[in-house]
Amino acid sequence: MRALPVGDDALLVEVASGAEAQALHAELLRRRTEGSLTVREIVPAARTVLLDGLADPVRWASELTSSAAPPTLPRARELIELPVRYDGPDLAEVAAHWKVSEREVARIHAGTEFTVAFCGFAPGFGYLTGLPARYDVPRRDTPRTSVPAGAVALAGPYTGVYPRSSPGGWQLIGTTEAVLWDHARIPAALLAPGARVRFVPVGDA
């Protein structure tokens, strides 16, 4: 673990893996809740956690880098279920990459419990982990100029759902009608780091 200063009152903490980033994020949230850490924002990413608005970043850099790795991320109690039709235009390509049938892709994906590792790219877009490494898929060679809202997609070790229409290079395997981002909802984002997620097949999937 190492901590890099960002401006006058922020730190970017680098760790070795996504699992460590998730565990560190959970531990920092716990410290903020109990009052031992005063910070404005705690933002996880693939292998980093940003602490913004620290009163004493030098002290926290020393404390974090000299402490033991945080314990394994505790499982969230609530499970978010997202209905999905496995009808994406890249389903056949993913099936070929996995060396299984399209129906088996749907069975494997829907049978996996995912965790939101971090959010980014667009408001409401969560990077979900849970599939074994053998199911990693490459991004498309040529990104699409427009991916529809609700597209369920794969790229590398991640599953994601496009909250709104946007360009994208992920492999599209299905669609959901779940609303990932609603500015009138509190919180606006349906998915947050640490949340448990399952995809529930609907229709002929």
Side-chain angles (χ1 to χ4, degrees):
M1 182 188 302
R2 67 172 184 162
L4 306 173
V6 180
D8 295 328
D9 61 356
L11 286 176
L12 184 68
V13 184
E14 295 182 341
V15 292
S17 68
E20 288 186 24
Q22 292 176 52
L24 176 62
H25 176 245
E27 172 64 14
L28 293 171
L29 289 177
R30 185 192 67 78
R31 292 190 188 190
R32 183 169 67 177
T33 299
E34 73 178 12
S36 63
L37 170 63
T38 301
V39 61
R40 185 168 55 246
E41 296 285 347
I42 305 173
V43 184
R47 286 187 294 182
T48 62
V49 179
L50 176 69
L51 293 88
D52 186 32
L54 283 170
D56 191 350
V58 174
R59 179 178 73 83
W60 277 104
S62 176
E63 180 171 332
L64 290 171
T65 55
S66 62
S67 61
T72 303
L73 182 70
R75 297 179 66 78
R77 286 191 294 271
E78 182 183 4
L79 177 66
I80 299 170
E81 295 187 339
L82 301 179
V84 58
R85 292 182 181 274
Y86 287 97
D87 57 0
D90 301 322
L91 186 60
E93 187 173 336
V94 170
H97 187 77
W98 287 5
K99 297 181 173 59
V100 299
S101 67
E102 293 180 26
R103 185 174 292 274
E104 184 69 0
V105 170
R107 188 196 68 79
I108 292 168
H109 192 261
T112 301
E113 183 176 299
F114 294 89
T115 299
V116 182
F118 57 96
C119 297
F121 170 64
F125 189 96
Y127 289 76
L128 280 61
T129 58
L131 285 170
R134 65 181 179 276
Y135 296 127
D136 287 7
V137 297
R139 286 172 169 78
R140 291 175 54 82
D141 292 335
T142 303
R144 292 180 170 91
T145 57
S146 180
V147 174
V152 179
L154 306 178
Y158 301 113
T159 288
V161 181
Y162 285 77
R164 62 186 182 190
S165 178
S166 64
W170 290 32
Q171 307 282 358
L172 309 184
I173 63 169
T175 54
T176 180
E177 295 183 1
V179 178
L180 277 294
W181 178 266
D182 181 355
H183 65 85
R185 182 173 58 198
I186 300 175
L190 180 62
L191 305 180
R196 298 163 57 212
V197 179
R198 270 195 184 278
F199 292 89
V200 180
V202 297
D204 297 329

